[in-house]
Amino acid sequence: MTTLALLFLAGLFEGASWGNDQKDYAAQVLADSPLVYYRFEQSLAEHVKDYADAVGTPQAGPQHAQHQGVTLSKSTVLTQHTADVPEPASQAAVFAGNSQISLRLPPEDDVLDLTQGMTLELWVNPANQSGLQELLEKGDYRINEKSGDANVSYYLLYMSSGAQGTLRFGFHGGSQETKHFDSTMPIKADEWTHVVATYDGHQISLYLNGKFNRKMRLKLRPPSHPGQTLSLGALSLDPADNACLHFFQGMMDEVAIYDYALDDYQVATHYVAARGGQIEDIVVLPKFEEHIQPLLAIHCLDCHGSDNAEQGLDLSTVTAMLRGGESGPAIVRGDPDVSLLYRLVESGVMPPEDHSPLQPDDVALIRRWIQHGMPAQEDVIEPEPRVLVNDKDREHWAFQKPRFS
């Protein structure tokens, strides 16, 4: 591996041992551009402040929410109460079983009407109380008298048996059709748990405490209900009369919603920023020889190997991919979106139709590998910068300074 690659990866892992530092955690979340980010760090006298607007995210202005009966606690996930830190600096929201936080945006400005992709991220500390408890819901569950449908897009539900419970993530697809699935790892009462649910347009995934739990592919997309309520801590029935049920009891903190699916590495990075530890203990970073080369051997090297590099493109080594072919380098460290290899496989252009296609998980693996420095065991040789204009080209009149008589 080159010195550059080692320095790159060292930079990644330098932040992997962060723990209990609210500034580091918030920086990690904000770097991934959430649509809303509720931290509960200010007085709730007027509203619940949205911290996402501070980094210029795509939404128009901050999405401040309203609350009913929510109080604040100093017992939070980010700062531990010890003799050295008698007064924790961070705060969490306390839901007493009759409390709710809600946000209702005009339909034309509803950035949370998410149907193509999303991530719901939050920390929860449930009380020892049995029953169905709503953590987060987008929509009002009043039934349309004509269609029989509920106006709900997506939801996170905590199903508690008292001392512990499970998480349910789902969509309500109309015509009384719902799609959901439950975590297989328990969420314990009176303990903080990092909860992440993602949807990438094809499948939904659950993560608990930074670790992937399970996923499911589905055809149903979350329905669009712009202008409906985003509710934390309760199921909103009808905002006209403040009717709610399935109230949550416990504490909630660091609630963030994104318009795309975070990947395994991003989820693990957020967890480590709050709790400490090492990234590699939670998620495996893909390596070229172990994860990427076998995929390319099956799907790509018939046409782009060292002996038959069509259009000069050889995908057999990292060095060759950095050198690239007639269209330039195949990969760019840390940036899959400008890497030719990723763009071709993500769009389906490569492999061609007469070859077996890459699966979505394979494409995501290639993206993660590029994104995190393209780790490899080979002694990668960085190519010399391409010379676009040589000395002979510069003799052309177009490169000469104008002469005035």
Side-chain angles (χ1 to χ4, degrees):
M1 188 181 294
T2 64
T3 301
L4 178 62
L6 288 170
L7 289 172
F8 180 87
L9 289 175
L12 287 175
F13 290 114
E14 183 181 0
S17 60
W18 299 334
N20 300 331
D21 189 326
Q22 60 174 325
K23 292 182 180 179
D24 285 338
Y25 181 84
Q28 288 292 327
V29 171
L30 291 172
D32 290 326
S33 300
L35 292 172
V36 298
Y37 184 22
Y38 298 126
R39 308 200 60 219
F40 311 112
E41 296 307 306
Q42 83 298 336
S43 168
L44 297 179
E46 297 181 1
H47 57 247
V48 181
K49 181 180 177 180
D50 171 24
Y51 283 78
D53 188 59
V55 291
T57 47
Q59 79 274 24
Q63 313 301 330
H64 299 321
Q66 305 300 315
H67 79 97
Q68 296 178 343
V70 175
T71 58
L72 296 175
S73 169
K74 296 291 185 181
S75 178
T76 79
V77 64
L78 295 180
T79 306
Q80 301 299 313
H81 189 104
T82 66
D84 296 332
V85 188
E87 289 297 329
S90 183
Q91 299 181 132
V94 179
F95 295 79
N98 57 358
S99 314
Q100 179 197 25
I101 291 174
S102 61
L103 172 67
R104 193 173 178 87
L105 299 170
E108 64 275 13
D109 297 326
D110 194 351
V111 296
L112 299 176
D113 185 46
L114 304 172
T115 61
Q116 302 299 317
M118 72 180 77
T119 295
L120 313 178
E121 178 179 29
L122 61 159
W123 289 80
V124 295
N125 188 332
N128 193 331
Q129 182 71 32
S130 299
L132 298 178
Q133 302 180 46
E134 202 80 27
L135 297 176
L136 184 151
E137 170 225 1
K138 179 64 170 71
D140 300 310
Y141 201 80
R142 56 188 174 190
I143 302 298
N144 186 301
E145 295 181 358
K146 293 183 179 179
S147 66
D149 296 342
N151 296 323
V152 174
S153 297
Y154 50 88
Y155 61 90
L156 271 178
L157 187 66
Y158 174 59
M159 301 179 295
S160 174
S161 60
Q164 65 181 31
T166 54
L167 181 71
R168 172 168 291 178
F169 176 38
F171 306 146
H172 198 293
S175 300
Q176 302 186 27
E177 179 186 13
T178 61
K179 288 291 184 181
H180 63 258
F181 77 143
D182 305 337
S183 65
T184 58
M185 296 167 57
I187 296 176
K188 296 181 180 180
D190 301 319
E191 291 185 12
W192 282 107
T193 299
H194 183 225
V195 170
V196 177
T198 70
Y199 170 63
D200 65 2
H202 304 285
Q203 65 184 20
I204 52 180
S205 302
L206 291 177
Y207 301 80
L208 294 176
N209 287 334
K211 295 183 178 180
F212 170 77
N213 180 223
R214 61 180 304 210
K215 64 183 176 182
M216 180 179 73
R217 293 185 64 83
L218 72 168
K219 295 181 180 179
L220 176 70
R221 291 182 179 272
S224 175
H225 294 301
Q228 300 293 321
T229 303
L230 172 74
S231 177
L232 302 179
L235 172 67
S236 173
L237 288 176
D238 190 340
D241 56 9
N242 292 323
C244 297
L245 72 152
H246 295 167
F247 286 99
F248 171 66
Q249 288 188 254
M251 291 184 288
M252 196 179 300
D253 203 4
E254 305 296 324
V255 180
I257 302 177
Y258 311 76
D259 60 357
Y260 67 99
L262 295 181
D263 64 26
D264 295 1
Y265 186 87
Q266 289 170 302
V267 174
T269 300
H270 291 191
Y271 176 77
V272 166
R275 285 306 205 202
Q278 299 295 322
I279 294 289
E280 62 265 38
D281 293 336
I282 300 176
V283 62
V284 176
L285 284 177
K287 297 179 177 61
F288 177 70
E289 290 80 6
E290 184 178 349
H291 302 98
I292 306 303
Q293 194 174 47
L295 288 177
L296 299 179
I298 295 172
H299 300 280
C300 305
L301 295 191
D302 284 350
C303 301
H304 297 285
S306 57
D307 298 328
N308 54 344
E310 293 184 7
Q311 298 181 337
L313 179 58
D314 178 4
L315 301 178
S316 62
T317 67
V318 177
T319 297
M321 286 190 281
L322 287 169
R323 184 172 61 245
E326 295 175 6
S327 299
I331 47 179
V332 177
R333 290 191 187 279
D335 199 340
D337 292 324
V338 301
S339 294
L340 179 62
L341 173 64
Y342 177 74
R343 289 164 55 194
L344 291 174
V345 298
E346 194 274 336
S347 64
V349 173
M350 196 174 84
E353 292 182 0
D354 57 347
H355 286 64
S356 59
L358 286 162
Q359 298 302 308
D361 287 349
D362 299 333
V363 176
L365 190 67
I366 293 172
R367 178 181 179 85
R368 193 184 312 148
W369 175 67
I370 297 173
Q371 194 169 28
H372 301 301
M374 305 180 311
Q377 295 174 3
E378 72 173 271
D379 186 12
V380 177
I381 300 174
E382 298 289 337
E384 294 291 333
R386 289 197 169 199
V387 177
L388 300 179
V389 180
N390 57 35
D391 292 339
K392 185 178 176 80
D393 294 330
R394 289 189 175 89
E395 294 176 2
H396 190 274
W397 65 265
F399 293 95
Q400 305 303 314
K401 290 184 179 181
R403 296 180 181 179
F404 300 97
S405 57

